[in-house]
Amino acid sequence: MEYRKLIAISGMSGLYELVGSKTDGAIVRSLEDNTTKFVSSRKHQFSHIESIEIFTIRENVNLVDVFKAMDKSSEVIPSEKDPKAIKDYFKKVYPEMDFDRVYASDMKKMVRWYGIIKQNDIPFELPDDTESTEASNEF
């Protein structure tokens, strides 16, 4: 499985692999329970996680950069149920993050998504042609 095939779906928790697309939605497979289902684009929005950027005190960075910093860190990943511990964790692991614009709920998602990606042994790699940041989503 490749990082570029991972998507987040509004209104649905977790991460999904894009299996196929149709004009009115997508066929996705959950990375948590491996179920495959059709999700309508009329009810949900799809975001490729490779296009998600994180606010920092300088230039915005791609989410994969935060995941790589988490991977290299020796800090213990906190429980996603403790917002203060998560914020303290990111202050140590990625201090350049703009903590005024990145909400606790976003950091919680990053911790959860990181765990899902690691559990599925997906490498944190972007394709070489990542210059198209025009369609990026931002936290």
Coordinates of all heavy atoms in Angstrom, one line a residue, residues 29-70:
R29 N -11.3 1.3 1.4 CA -11.1 0.2 2.3 C -10.5 0.8 3.6 O -9.6 1.6 3.6 CB -10.1 -0.8 1.7 CG -9.9 -2.0 2.7 CD -8.9 -3.0 2.1 NE -7.6 -2.5 1.9 CZ -6.7 -2.4 2.9 NH1 -7.0 -2.8 4.1 NH2 -5.5 -1.9 2.7
S30 N -11.2 0.5 4.7 CA -10.8 1.0 6.0 C -9.4 0.4 6.4 O -9.2 -0.9 6.2 CB -11.8 0.7 7.1 OG -11.3 0.9 8.4
L31 N -8.5 1.2 6.9 CA -7.2 0.6 7.3 C -7.3 0.0 8.8 O -6.4 -0.6 9.2 CB -6.1 1.7 7.3 CG -5.8 2.3 6.0 CD1 -4.7 3.3 6.1 CD2 -5.4 1.2 5.0
E32 N -8.4 0.3 9.4 CA -8.6 -0.2 10.8 C -9.2 -1.6 10.8 O -8.8 -2.5 11.6 CB -9.4 0.7 11.6 CG -8.6 2.0 11.9 CD -9.4 3.0 12.6 OE1 -10.3 3.7 12.1 OE2 -9.1 3.1 13.9
D33 N -10.2 -1.8 10.0 CA -10.9 -3.2 10.0 C -11.0 -3.9 8.7 O -11.6 -4.9 8.5 CB -12.3 -3.0 10.6 CG -13.2 -2.1 9.8 OD1 -12.9 -1.7 8.7 OD2 -14.3 -1.8 10.3
N34 N -10.3 -3.3 7.7 CA -10.2 -3.8 6.3 C -11.6 -4.0 5.6 O -11.6 -4.8 4.7 CB -9.4 -5.2 6.3 CG -8.0 -5.0 6.5 OD1 -7.4 -4.0 6.1 ND2 -7.3 -5.9 7.3
T35 N -12.6 -3.4 6.0 CA -13.9 -3.4 5.3 C -13.8 -2.5 4.1 O -13.2 -1.5 4.1 CB -15.0 -3.0 6.2 OG1 -14.8 -1.7 6.7 CG2 -15.2 -4.0 7.4
T36 N -14.5 -3.0 3.1 CA -14.5 -2.2 1.8 C -16.0 -1.7 1.6 O -16.9 -2.5 1.8 CB -14.1 -3.0 0.6 OG1 -12.8 -3.5 0.9 CG2 -14.1 -2.2 -0.7
K37 N -16.2 -0.4 1.3 CA -17.5 0.1 1.0 C -17.5 1.2 0.1 O -16.5 1.8 -0.2 CB -18.2 0.5 2.4 CG -17.4 1.6 3.1 CD -18.1 1.8 4.4 CE -17.2 2.4 5.4 NZ -17.8 2.5 6.8
F38 N -18.7 1.6 -0.4 CA -18.9 2.7 -1.3 C -19.2 3.9 -0.4 O -20.1 3.8 0.5 CB -20.0 2.5 -2.3 CG -20.3 3.7 -3.1 CD1 -19.5 4.1 -4.2 CD2 -21.4 4.4 -2.8 CE1 -19.8 5.2 -4.9 CE2 -21.7 5.6 -3.5 CZ -20.9 6.0 -4.6
V39 N -18.6 5.0 -0.6 CA -18.9 6.3 0.1 C -19.3 7.3 -0.9 O -18.6 7.6 -1.8 CB -17.7 6.7 0.9 CG1 -18.0 8.0 1.7 CG2 -17.2 5.6 1.9
S40 N -20.5 7.9 -0.7 CA -21.0 8.9 -1.6 C -20.4 10.3 -1.5 O -20.2 10.7 -0.4 CB -22.5 9.0 -1.4 OG -23.0 10.1 -2.1
S41 N -20.1 10.9 -2.6 CA -19.5 12.2 -2.5 C -20.5 13.3 -2.3 O -20.2 14.4 -2.1 CB -18.7 12.5 -3.8 OG -19.6 12.5 -4.9
R42 N -21.8 12.9 -2.3 CA -22.9 13.8 -2.0 C -23.0 14.1 -0.5 O -23.4 15.1 0.0 CB -24.2 13.3 -2.5 CG -24.3 13.2 -3.9 CD -25.6 12.6 -4.4 NE -25.6 12.4 -5.8 CZ -26.7 12.1 -6.5 NH1 -27.8 12.0 -5.9 NH2 -26.6 12.0 -7.8
K43 N -22.5 13.1 0.3 CA -22.6 13.2 1.8 C -21.2 13.5 2.4 O -21.2 14.1 3.5 CB -23.1 11.9 2.4 CG -24.6 11.7 2.2 CD -25.0 10.4 2.8 CE -25.5 10.6 4.2 NZ -26.0 9.4 4.8
H44 N -20.1 13.2 1.7 CA -18.8 13.2 2.3 C -17.8 13.9 1.4 O -18.0 13.9 0.2 CB -18.3 11.8 2.6 CG -19.2 11.0 3.5 ND1 -19.2 11.2 4.9 CD2 -20.1 10.1 3.3 CE1 -20.0 10.4 5.5 NE2 -20.6 9.7 4.5
Q45 N -16.8 14.5 2.0 CA -15.7 15.1 1.3 C -14.5 14.2 1.5 O -14.3 13.7 2.6 CB -15.4 16.5 1.8 CG -16.5 17.5 1.4 CD -16.1 18.9 1.9 OE1 -15.1 19.1 2.5 NE2 -17.0 19.8 1.6
F46 N -13.7 14.1 0.4 CA -12.5 13.2 0.5 C -11.3 14.1 0.4 O -11.2 15.1 -0.3 CB -12.5 12.3 -0.7 CG -13.7 11.4 -0.9 CD1 -14.8 11.8 -1.6 CD2 -13.8 10.2 -0.2 CE1 -15.9 11.1 -1.8 CE2 -14.9 9.5 -0.3 CZ -16.0 9.9 -1.1
S47 N -10.3 13.8 1.3 CA -9.0 14.5 1.3 C -7.9 13.5 1.2 O -7.7 12.7 2.1 CB -8.9 15.3 2.6 OG -9.9 16.3 2.7
H48 N -7.1 13.6 0.2 CA -5.9 12.8 0.2 C -4.9 13.3 1.2 O -4.7 14.5 1.3 CB -5.2 12.9 -1.2 CG -5.9 12.1 -2.3 ND1 -5.6 10.8 -2.5 CD2 -6.9 12.5 -3.1 CE1 -6.4 10.4 -3.5 NE2 -7.2 11.4 -3.9
I49 N -4.4 12.4 2.1 CA -3.6 13.0 3.2 C -2.3 13.5 2.6 O -1.6 14.3 3.3 CB -3.4 12.0 4.3 CG1 -2.6 10.8 3.9 CG2 -4.7 11.6 4.9 CD1 -2.1 10.0 5.2
E50 N -1.9 13.1 1.4 CA -0.6 13.7 0.9 C -0.8 15.2 0.5 O 0.2 15.9 0.4 CB -0.2 12.9 -0.4 CG -1.0 13.1 -1.6 CD -0.5 12.4 -2.8 OE1 0.5 11.8 -2.8 OE2 -1.2 12.5 -3.8
S51 N -2.0 15.7 0.5 CA -2.3 17.1 0.2 C -2.5 17.9 1.4 O -2.7 19.1 1.3 CB -3.4 17.2 -0.8 OG -4.6 16.8 -0.2
I52 N -2.5 17.3 2.6 CA -2.8 18.1 3.8 C -1.6 18.7 4.3 O -0.5 18.1 4.4 CB -3.4 17.1 4.9 CG1 -4.7 16.6 4.4 CG2 -3.5 17.9 6.2 CD1 -5.3 15.5 5.4
E53 N -1.7 20.0 4.6 CA -0.6 20.8 5.1 C -0.9 21.2 6.5 O -2.0 21.4 6.9 CB -0.3 22.0 4.2 CG 0.2 21.7 2.9 CD 0.7 22.9 2.1 OE1 0.3 24.1 2.5 OE2 1.4 22.8 1.1
I54 N 0.2 21.4 7.3 CA 0.1 21.9 8.7 C 0.7 23.3 8.8 O 1.7 23.6 8.2 CB 0.9 20.9 9.6 CG1 0.4 19.4 9.4 CG2 0.8 21.3 11.0 CD1 -1.0 19.2 9.7
F55 N 0.0 24.1 9.5 CA 0.5 25.5 9.8 C 1.7 25.4 10.7 O 1.7 24.7 11.7 CB -0.6 26.3 10.5 CG -1.8 26.6 9.7 CD1 -3.1 26.1 10.1 CD2 -1.7 27.4 8.5 CE1 -4.2 26.4 9.3 CE2 -2.9 27.7 7.8 CZ -4.1 27.2 8.2
T56 N 2.7 26.2 10.3 CA 3.9 26.3 11.2 C 4.2 27.8 11.3 O 3.5 28.7 10.7 CB 5.1 25.7 10.6 OG1 5.6 26.4 9.4 CG2 4.9 24.2 10.2
I57 N 5.2 28.2 12.1 CA 5.5 29.6 12.3 C 6.2 30.1 11.1 O 6.3 31.3 11.0 CB 6.3 29.8 13.6 CG1 7.6 28.9 13.6 CG2 5.5 29.5 14.8 CD1 8.5 29.1 14.8
R58 N 6.6 29.3 10.2 CA 7.2 29.7 8.9 C 6.3 29.3 7.8 O 5.2 29.7 7.8 CB 8.6 29.1 8.8 CG 9.6 29.6 9.8 CD 11.0 29.0 9.7 NE 11.8 29.3 10.8 CZ 11.8 28.7 12.0 NH1 11.0 27.7 12.2 NH2 12.6 29.0 13.0
E59 N 6.8 28.6 6.8 CA 6.0 28.1 5.7 C 5.2 26.8 6.2 O 5.7 26.1 7.0 CB 7.0 27.6 4.6 CG 7.8 28.8 4.0 CD 6.9 29.7 3.1 OE1 6.0 29.2 2.4 OE2 7.1 30.9 3.2
N60 N 4.1 26.7 5.6 CA 3.3 25.4 5.9 C 4.1 24.2 5.5 O 4.8 24.3 4.5 CB 1.9 25.5 5.2 CG 1.1 26.6 5.7 OD1 1.3 27.2 6.8 ND2 0.0 26.9 5.0
V61 N 3.9 23.1 6.2 CA 4.6 21.9 5.8 C 3.6 20.8 5.5 O 2.5 20.8 6.0 CB 5.6 21.4 6.9 CG1 6.7 22.4 7.1 CG2 4.9 21.1 8.2
N62 N 4.0 19.8 4.7 CA 3.1 18.7 4.4 C 3.0 17.8 5.7 O 4.0 17.7 6.4 CB 3.7 17.9 3.2 CG 2.7 17.0 2.7 OD1 2.3 16.0 3.3 ND2 2.1 17.3 1.5
L63 N 1.9 17.2 5.8 CA 1.7 16.3 7.0 C 2.7 15.2 7.1 O 3.1 14.8 8.2 CB 0.3 15.7 6.9 CG -0.2 14.8 8.0 CD1 -0.2 15.4 9.3 CD2 -1.6 14.3 7.7
V64 N 3.2 14.8 6.0 CA 4.2 13.7 6.0 C 5.5 14.1 6.7 O 6.1 13.3 7.4 CB 4.5 13.2 4.6 CG1 5.4 14.2 3.8 CG2 5.2 11.8 4.6
D65 N 5.8 15.5 6.7 CA 7.0 16.0 7.4 C 6.8 15.8 8.9 O 7.7 15.5 9.7 CB 7.2 17.4 7.1 CG 7.6 17.6 5.6 OD1 8.2 16.6 5.0 OD2 7.4 18.7 5.0
V66 N 5.6 16.0 9.4 CA 5.2 15.9 10.8 C 5.3 14.4 11.2 O 5.9 14.0 12.2 CB 3.9 16.5 11.2 CG1 3.5 16.2 12.6 CG2 3.8 18.0 10.8
F67 N 4.8 13.5 10.3 CA 4.9 12.1 10.6 C 6.3 11.6 10.6 O 6.6 10.8 11.5 CB 4.1 11.3 9.5 CG 2.6 11.4 9.6 CD1 1.8 11.2 8.5 CD2 2.0 11.7 10.8 CE1 0.4 11.2 8.6 CE2 0.6 11.7 10.9 CZ -0.2 11.5 9.8
K68 N 7.1 12.1 9.8 CA 8.6 11.7 9.8 C 9.2 12.2 11.1 O 10.0 11.5 11.6 CB 9.3 12.3 8.6 CG 8.9 11.6 7.3 CD 9.6 12.2 6.1 CE 9.3 11.6 4.8 NZ 10.0 12.2 3.6
A69 N 8.9 13.4 11.5 CA 9.4 13.9 12.8 C 9.0 13.0 14.0 O 9.7 12.7 14.9 CB 9.0 15.3 13.0
M70 N 7.7 12.6 13.9 CA 7.2 11.7 14.9 C 7.9 10.4 14.9 O 8.2 9.8 16.0 CB 5.7 11.5 14.7 CG 4.8 12.7 15.0 SD 3.1 12.5 14.5 CE 2.5 11.4 15.8

